[in-house]
Amino acid sequence: MPEMTEKIDEYLDKFIASDLVLIKIKEENQPINSLKRLFLERIKERGLEHITSYTFLEELFLEKI
């Protein structure tokens, strides 16, 4: 699953560099709950305390808190 980790890191890096505070993630090749778990794991591993990932109405979001 290293390629998925790279893709998640790309999402996180672009999000951190942007002025946006909330984005919706559209990744149709992965189940939403698995993807959310992977985002949360990478956020924790990278020590990104100001970012979270969550689902709302069956959509996946990244948010700067």
Side-chain angles (χ1 to χ4, degrees):
M1 194 147 328
E3 67 185 44
M4 198 61 209
T5 300
E6 288 177 24
K7 190 173 245 186
I8 287 172
D9 282 339
E10 285 179 34
Y11 273 116
L12 289 171
D13 292 339
K14 287 179 183 179
F15 184 52
I16 290 167
S18 76
D19 291 333
L20 301 171
V21 294
L22 179 69
I23 61 170
K24 181 169 55 170
I25 305 295
K26 297 284 279 186
E27 190 66 45
E28 298 178 14
N29 296 333
Q30 288 282 88
I32 193 168
N33 289 330
S34 297
L35 196 55
K36 180 182 85 170
R37 182 180 46 79
L38 290 171
F39 267 104
L40 291 172
E41 286 175 4
R42 285 302 293 156
I43 289 167
K44 185 177 180 180
E45 288 170 1
R46 292 179 57 176
L48 304 173
E49 297 175 3
H50 62 287
I51 295 178
T52 191
S53 178
Y54 60 88
T55 56
F56 180 72
L57 298 175
E58 299 185 26
E59 299 283 353
L60 179 63
F61 295 89
L62 283 179
E63 183 175 15
K64 292 177 184 170
I65 50 175

